[in-house]
Amino acid sequence: MNHDQARYGDDDRYEPLLSEKDATTVDVGEESPLPDDLTRESLELPGLSEPELARHYTRLSQMNWSVETGPYPLGSCTMKYNPSFTEDVAADPNGGVHPDRSEETVQGTLELLAGLQDYLARIGGMDAVTLQPPAGAAGEFTGIMIAKACHEARGDPRSEVIVPASAHGTNFASAAMAGYDVVELPSGEDGRVDLDALEAAVSEDTAALMLTNPNTVGLFERDIEEIAEIVHDAGGLLYYDGANLNALLGRARPGDMGFDIMHYNVHKTFATPHGGGGPGAGPVGVVDELAEFLPRPRVRERDGRYELYDPERSIGKVHGYQGNWLVLVKAYAYIARLGDAGLKDTSAKAVLNANYLAERIDYDIPYGPFHHEFAATAGERDAADIAKGMLDYGVHPPTTKWPEFVPEAMLTEPTEAENKASLDDLAAAFDAAMADSDAELETAPSKTTARRIDQADAARNPRLSWRALDGDE
């Protein structure tokens, strides 16, 4: 295979390591007790030596972007650095306990779980917490099912959940999966909840309002107490999507704002890894009157020992045991290491970094004042093209095209982890990409390992094997 084929394959698709992907065909022999339609005369096996294989995957890993490589300023994602000490804590052999061991033999495990329940309850201003849900979206669904169980127990089943237009897509999905009709709430001119629209939307059918605060463009809902009053006066519950809790740590608590239910995204706020499918965790907190509906079993301390028990009107299990144990260990370790002062410092730096970066870039930012993230607009340019152009300047771009009420949005959240030099590099890449010509942006990125792809074709006709690049499949 010549150099060009090694990089582009037979159909001009760029693939930098194609020449390192090799196979060899071996004869398998003619004698077999199996029927002919279940046998073959030859077998294709990898044709690489161990050093070749090791070097291939090492080179491949060096082409990847990671939080150890540089910042991920993806708005609404809170892609903060995952400190490595939490991996060491989770790897402690003492944590490798079988979930079916008796309570008497896992008192340390139960104590840690009870401690994390307490940490999260105090951080969120909640009275009780379950650790079972295995992801943020699973936490949303669990929280809405708790709301549903509460209304049914009151003899007042409801049929609607109100969700702001700027909310995460999982909010709409969680409400629909729980059997509710979703009522979309438009944003006001200032980007926040429109109180008149909310009053028009609530009714005797309203089960809950799902709300993120600060919201998707980083704005704090200044009328949150009035919002809570409107929902509660209609007999509904106020649900807090914990996606943006990082902006409030140590400074404000959803429970104090009037929220009845909340889920925590530990992969965002408490530095556990973003999963790519898992494992994850999405604990749920509730006020006291909803504690009886939490998933079973829960952990509690009684007479100096820890035990599992079933809440009286539990919605049942949503995950095995107490959730993804080692992910919860990492969250516990992170919170314990930072303490009250460290958590408060985290939110301060997250807000400071977002505002510093916004001041450094030459983009219009329609909504403010914002907290931990902001939605810049690319104006007349295509936000996705700008983002691809930023890749050529050695940084990861922000979230693009969302939320939809910001034209050509570039939703940016640098998190508390970045220093001034890192933020300055990001700002320079923002402005450099915007200064590129349309022709340059249309072919960007040109300096990265993976080049620009036809996203529509990739979605409709995915190539799932490297053999397809070599024209063999």
Side-chain angles (χ1 to χ4, degrees):
M1 182 179 289
N2 64 36
H3 178 73
D4 288 339
Q5 289 174 323
R7 298 184 66 82
Y8 290 92
D10 291 347
D11 62 354
D12 293 331
R13 287 179 182 269
Y14 180 77
E15 171 43 87
L17 296 184
L18 187 59
S19 63
E20 297 181 7
K21 298 172 181 177
D22 194 13
T24 185
T25 301
V26 298
D27 293 333
V28 297
E30 298 181 0
E31 299 296 329
S32 172
L34 297 174
D36 290 343
D37 59 346
L38 295 180
T39 62
R40 49 189 164 182
E41 296 180 357
S42 62
L43 180 65
E44 189 177 79
L45 297 174
L48 300 172
S49 65
E50 183 172 330
E52 288 176 313
L53 188 67
R55 291 165 187 167
H56 170 79
Y57 280 107
T58 298
R59 280 190 285 271
L60 193 63
S61 71
Q62 292 167 343
M63 295 175 182
N64 289 338
W65 187 266
S66 71
V67 74
E68 284 81 15
T69 308
Y72 273 100
L74 291 168
S76 197
C77 294
T78 317
M79 303 287 286
K80 63 167 67 180
Y81 175 72
N82 306 145
S84 58
F85 86 90
T86 64
E87 297 291 339
D88 296 334
V89 173
D92 189 318
N94 293 309
V97 297
H98 194 284
D100 287 333
R101 279 175 52 175
S102 63
E103 294 174 7
E104 290 74 17
T105 66
V106 290
Q107 284 294 295
T109 298
L110 296 178
E111 181 180 2
L112 188 150
L113 293 171
L116 182 56
Q117 287 177 177
D118 179 62
Y119 277 161
L120 295 177
R122 286 190 282 142
I123 288 169
M126 297 284 112
D127 297 313
V129 171
T130 176
L131 305 175
Q132 274 192 35
E140 284 181 22
F141 180 69
T142 299
I144 292 300
M145 291 303 293
I146 290 170
K148 188 172 189 176
C150 171
H151 288 300
E152 290 176 350
R154 292 173 177 174
D156 183 23
R158 302 286 178 109
S159 61
E160 296 178 349
V161 169
I162 301 173
V163 181
S166 62
H168 295 90
T170 49
N171 287 185
F172 299 89
S174 295
M177 283 181 63
Y180 286 106
D181 295 327
V182 178
V183 178
E184 185 173 315
L185 186 68
S187 298
E189 292 184 0
D190 63 351
R192 297 177 174 85
V193 169
D194 185 322
L195 293 183
D196 290 337
L198 177 61
E199 288 181 330
V202 298
S203 70
E204 60 184 13
D205 294 321
T206 301
L209 166 65
M210 302 181 76
L211 196 63
T212 306
N213 193 25
N215 69 13
T216 302
V217 291
L219 306 180
F220 189 85
E221 295 289 354
R222 297 169 175 167
D223 299 317
I224 186 59
E225 292 178 324
E226 190 170 352
I227 291 170
E229 184 178 354
I230 292 171
V231 174
H232 289 152
D233 285 349
L237 298 171
L238 192 56
Y239 181 96
Y240 183 81
D241 179 336
N244 295 338
L245 184 62
N246 204 50
L248 303 182
L249 286 176
R251 300 175 183 278
R253 307 191 307 172
D256 299 333
M257 302 175 200
F259 286 92
D260 306 292
I261 309 170
M262 69 175 292
H263 82 267
Y264 305 78
N265 287 307
V266 299
H267 59 289
K268 295 185 177 185
T269 317
F270 304 115
T272 65
H274 281 65
V284 173
V286 296
V287 295
D288 189 60
E289 66 179 289
L290 300 177
E292 63 181 336
F293 302 106
L294 286 171
R296 61 175 175 84
R298 295 191 63 232
V299 182
R300 67 184 175 190
E301 182 183 8
R302 175 175 285 186
D303 299 329
R305 66 180 295 275
Y306 294 91
E307 64 179 12
L308 298 173
Y309 75 101
D310 292 348
E312 185 177 350
R313 294 182 172 180
S314 173
I315 62 171
K317 281 192 174 186
V318 297
H319 194 273
Y321 191 52
Q322 293 298 307
N324 283 318
W325 157 243
L326 294 181
V327 176
L328 299 172
V329 170
K330 294 174 187 178
Y332 180 93
Y334 179 81
I335 297 170
R337 171 67 68 88
L338 288 181
D340 290 342
L343 293 175
K344 192 172 183 178
D345 187 59
T346 292
S347 58
K349 288 179 178 175
V351 173
L352 176 64
N353 281 358
N355 280 267
Y356 175 78
L357 179 58
E359 284 293 321
R360 291 279 286 108
I361 64 175
D362 190 20
Y363 286 67
D364 181 37
I365 301 172
Y367 297 103
F370 45 84
H371 285 65
H372 65 300
E373 66 184 349
F374 60 88
T377 175
E380 299 300 318
R381 311 295 292 276
D382 187 305
D385 284 346
I386 298 292
K388 290 178 172 63
M390 290 178 67
L391 293 170
D392 279 337
Y393 293 98
V395 303
H396 197 288
T399 302
T400 61
K401 305 282 191 175
W402 188 79
E404 294 179 353
F405 62 86
V406 176
E408 298 299 331
M410 303 189 73
L411 187 61
T412 307
E413 181 182 4
T415 82
E416 74 281 0
E418 304 309 321
N419 60 24
K420 181 177 180 295
S422 175
L423 296 172
D424 288 341
D425 287 343
L426 267 175
F430 263 98
D431 290 345
M434 179 61 82
D436 283 343
S437 68
D438 289 342
E440 289 172 314
L441 291 179
E442 286 173 2
T443 59
S446 60
K447 300 176 183 178
T448 54
T449 300
R451 303 295 174 85
R452 192 183 188 99
I453 64 171
D454 184 329
Q455 294 175 217
D457 182 62
R460 293 169 181 166
N461 302 294
R463 295 188 174 208
L464 305 179
S465 168
W466 64 269
R467 296 185 186 86
L469 296 170
D470 205 19
D472 295 335
E473 186 177 277

